[in-house]
Amino acid sequence: MKKIIVNEYGSVDVLQEVVALKPVPGEKDVLIKVAAIGVNDPDIVMRKYGPFPTMPAEFRPTLPHMLGGDFSGIVEQVGAEVTKFQVGDHVMGYTKRGTYAQYIVLDQDDSLSQVPDQLDLIPLGGLYLTALIAWSAIMKNGHLQAGQKVLIHGGAGGVGSMAIQIAKAAGATVITTARS
């Protein structure tokens, strides 16, 4: 399989395509053929500058490493103890181990969700992280309730557009900004 790694930090020129062995799923793992990935701000910052000083140790990669967090794809193989997914399932998710590859392996209990087969996997590849950030801000940390009013800055961006939809679905009145 092919994957893209970085051996040093800098411009887009540091992205290097390499051939690697296709990962093999463990007993509780799911092998996913990647359809699409998201390229988010953390990926760009990490590619340019590497880990920042306040980054928790568990998120600090060592070179060489693979960028990427969110993805969509199709389950190609499951481990013997997998009960949540089947071969052929369409999925989307998030991982800290990188997604810039044709295949990735995740534990069935990681941030992985089945999606309806009718949905286009390409736009779903970049949805998970923005939706998770928006949901965390609006619902988990903001405790938004039906009938409340919420101001969402940056409503035209990825996280902002997701936050608007989540807040509307929660029954809130949404006010947003999109430009200065």
Side-chain angles (χ1 to χ4, degrees), residues 54-66:
T54 58
M55 181 178 274
E58 66 269 18
F59 295 118
R60 288 179 164 272
T62 56
L63 292 172
H65 70 91
M66 184 169 54

Side-chain angles (χ1 to χ4, degrees), residues 22-38:
K22 187 175 173 181
V24 177
E27 296 296 308
K28 296 181 181 182
D29 293 337
V30 178
L31 174 70
I32 300 157
K33 181 175 170 101
V34 175
I37 62 167

Side-chain angles (χ1 to χ4, degrees), residues 120-133:
D120 184 354
L121 288 172
I122 303 304
L124 292 178
L127 182 67
Y128 203 92
L129 186 59
T130 56
L132 180 62
I133 292 168

Side-chain angles (χ1 to χ4, degrees), residues 13 39 81 120 130 137 170 174:
D13 297 331
V39 178
E81 295 179 29
D120 184 354
T130 56
V174 177

Side-chain angles (χ1 to χ4, degrees), residues 107-154:
D107 183 288
Q108 70 172 340
D109 293 322
D110 283 348
S111 298
L112 184 63
S113 302
Q114 186 175 352
V115 297
D117 292 355
Q118 313 86 291
L119 293 180
D120 184 354
L121 288 172
I122 303 304
L124 292 178
L127 182 67
Y128 203 92
L129 186 59
T130 56
L132 180 62
I133 292 168
W135 180 84
S136 292
I138 295 292
M139 303 306 292
K140 183 180 177 190
N141 298 324
H143 307 288
L144 187 68
Q145 302 290 318
Q148 290 183 316
K149 294 179 183 173
V150 61
L151 171 63
I152 298 171
H153 288 292

